[in-house]
Amino acid sequence: MSRLGLLCLALALPPAAAAAETRCGWLFNPTPANWWLIDADGEWTLSLQGTGDGGSGFYDVDWDEPAPGQWVETNGHYGFGCACFEGAVDRRTGWAVVVTAVTPLPLASCDADPALPPRGG
């Protein structure tokens, strides 16, 4: 393939394609359609009310509910828990650009991680 062909192929790929990763931390859903995860590297927006998931696929992922007692309700059934998501993020914007999986974890997993802010933080 020519250099031009390789360049065109590289430009056609989404920027997150090579950056797939698993991020674990505090998963927040304080109000309808507002979701984000705070991990050791920062805060990653998964969805915002009125803008959706930005095409990341977050709303298309099937995932299990947290185990009983592993979701802290702060506003009706809205609140926070501990979880991981697989996908890719845009470090410039703080948005998840691809989400392929979400896995709830016990609250103790995030409580024990010294790189995370304290519970609810």
Side-chain angles (χ1 to χ4, degrees):
M1 183 176 280
S2 71
R3 284 188 208 170
L4 179 58
L6 287 173
L7 177 61
C8 289
L9 178 62
L11 292 174
L13 292 174
E21 57 193 321
T22 300
R23 296 195 159 274
C24 300
W26 294 113
L27 179 67
F28 291 89
N29 175 220
T31 53
N34 292 307
W35 289 88
W36 63 85
L37 183 122
I38 296 177
D39 69 5
D41 294 327
E43 183 174 309
W44 309 104
T45 303
L46 301 166
S47 170
L48 287 178
Q49 190 174 44
T51 61
D53 68 8
S56 71
F58 174 70
Y59 288 135
D60 299 324
V61 174
D62 289 327
W63 52 290
D64 296 328
E65 292 289 323
Q70 300 304 305
W71 183 255
V72 179
E73 294 182 342
T74 58
N75 179 23
H77 65 277
Y78 298 101
F80 68 92
C82 185
C84 294
F85 80 83
E86 295 175 31
V89 299
D90 182 330
R91 292 179 183 275
R92 291 177 298 113
T93 65
W95 271 83
V97 294
V98 175
V99 178
T100 58
V102 178
T103 306
L105 299 173
L107 293 170
S109 296
C110 287
D111 284 334
D113 188 338
L116 296 177
R119 185 183 289 209

